[in-house]
CSV table of all heavy atoms in Angstrom, one decimal:
chain,number,residue,atom,x,y,z
U,1285,GLN,N,4.6,10.2,-7.0
U,1285,GLN,CA,5.6,10.5,-8.1
U,1285,GLN,C,5.0,10.9,-9.4
U,1285,GLN,O,5.4,11.8,-10.0
U,1285,GLN,CB,6.5,9.2,-8.3
U,1285,GLN,CG,7.7,9.1,-7.4
U,1285,GLN,CD,8.5,7.8,-7.8
U,1285,GLN,OE1,7.9,6.9,-8.4
U,1285,GLN,NE2,9.7,7.9,-7.5
U,1302,PHE,N,5.0,30.7,-21.7
U,1302,PHE,CA,5.2,32.1,-21.4
U,1302,PHE,C,6.3,32.8,-22.1
U,1302,PHE,O,6.2,33.9,-22.6
U,1302,PHE,CB,5.3,32.3,-19.9
U,1302,PHE,CG,5.3,33.7,-19.4
U,1302,PHE,CD1,4.2,34.5,-19.4
U,1302,PHE,CD2,6.5,34.3,-18.9
U,1302,PHE,CE1,4.2,35.8,-19.0
U,1302,PHE,CE2,6.5,35.6,-18.5
U,1302,PHE,CZ,5.4,36.3,-18.5
U,1315,LEU,N,7.9,44.9,-34.9
U,1315,LEU,CA,7.3,45.1,-36.2
U,1315,LEU,C,6.4,46.3,-36.3
U,1315,LEU,O,6.6,47.1,-37.3
U,1315,LEU,CB,6.5,43.9,-36.6
U,1315,LEU,CG,5.9,43.9,-38.0
U,1315,LEU,CD1,6.9,43.9,-39.1
U,1315,LEU,CD2,5.0,42.7,-38.2
U,1338,TYR,N,3.6,79.9,-64.9
U,1338,TYR,CA,2.1,80.1,-65.2
U,1338,TYR,C,1.8,81.6,-65.3
U,1338,TYR,O,0.7,82.0,-65.2
U,1338,TYR,CB,1.3,79.4,-64.2
U,1338,TYR,CG,1.3,77.9,-64.3
U,1338,TYR,CD1,2.3,77.2,-63.9
U,1338,TYR,CD2,0.2,77.3,-65.0
U,1338,TYR,CE1,2.3,75.8,-64.0
U,1338,TYR,CE2,0.2,75.9,-65.2
U,1338,TYR,CZ,1.3,75.2,-64.7
U,1338,TYR,OH,1.3,73.8,-64.9
U,1352,ASP,N,5.7,73.5,-32.5
U,1352,ASP,CA,7.0,72.9,-32.6
U,1352,ASP,C,8.0,73.6,-33.5
U,1352,ASP,O,9.2,73.2,-33.6
U,1352,ASP,CB,6.9,71.4,-33.0
U,1352,ASP,CG,6.1,71.2,-34.2
U,1352,ASP,OD1,5.6,72.1,-34.8
U,1352,ASP,OD2,5.9,70.0,-34.5
U,1358,GLY,N,7.5,77.8,-48.8
U,1358,GLY,CA,6.4,77.9,-49.7
U,1358,GLY,C,6.5,79.1,-50.7
U,1358,GLY,O,7.5,79.7,-50.8
U,1373,HIS,N,-1.1,70.3,-50.1
U,1373,HIS,CA,-0.9,69.1,-50.9
U,1373,HIS,C,-1.2,67.8,-50.1
U,1373,HIS,O,-1.3,67.9,-48.8
U,1373,HIS,CB,0.5,69.0,-51.4
U,1373,HIS,CG,1.6,69.0,-50.4
U,1373,HIS,ND1,1.9,67.8,-49.7
U,1373,HIS,CD2,2.4,70.0,-49.9
U,1373,HIS,CE1,2.8,68.1,-48.8
U,1373,HIS,NE2,3.2,69.4,-48.9
U,1377,GLY,N,3.3,64.6,-51.4
U,1377,GLY,CA,3.3,65.6,-52.4
U,1377,GLY,C,4.2,66.8,-52.1
U,1377,GLY,O,4.9,66.8,-51.1
U,1389,VAL,N,-4.2,75.2,-60.3
U,1389,VAL,CA,-5.3,75.6,-59.4
U,1389,VAL,C,-5.1,77.0,-58.8
U,1389,VAL,O,-6.0,77.9,-58.8
U,1389,VAL,CB,-5.5,74.6,-58.3
U,1389,VAL,CG1,-6.6,75.1,-57.2
U,1389,VAL,CG2,-6.0,73.2,-58.8
U,1401,LEU,N,-1.4,81.0,-51.0
U,1401,LEU,CA,-0.3,80.5,-50.4
U,1401,LEU,C,-0.2,79.0,-50.6
U,1401,LEU,O,-1.1,78.3,-50.4
U,1401,LEU,CB,-0.3,80.8,-48.9
U,1401,LEU,CG,0.8,80.2,-48.0
U,1401,LEU,CD1,2.2,80.8,-48.4
U,1401,LEU,CD2,0.5,80.3,-46.5
U,1407,ALA,N,8.4,67.5,-43.5
U,1407,ALA,CA,8.9,66.3,-44.1
U,1407,ALA,C,8.5,66.1,-45.5
U,1407,ALA,O,8.6,65.0,-46.1
U,1407,ALA,CB,8.4,65.1,-43.3
Side-chain angles (χ1 to χ4, degrees):
Q1285 273 184 332
F1302 185 70
L1315 180 63
Y1338 287 79
D1352 49 4
H1373 63 77
V1389 172
L1401 174 66

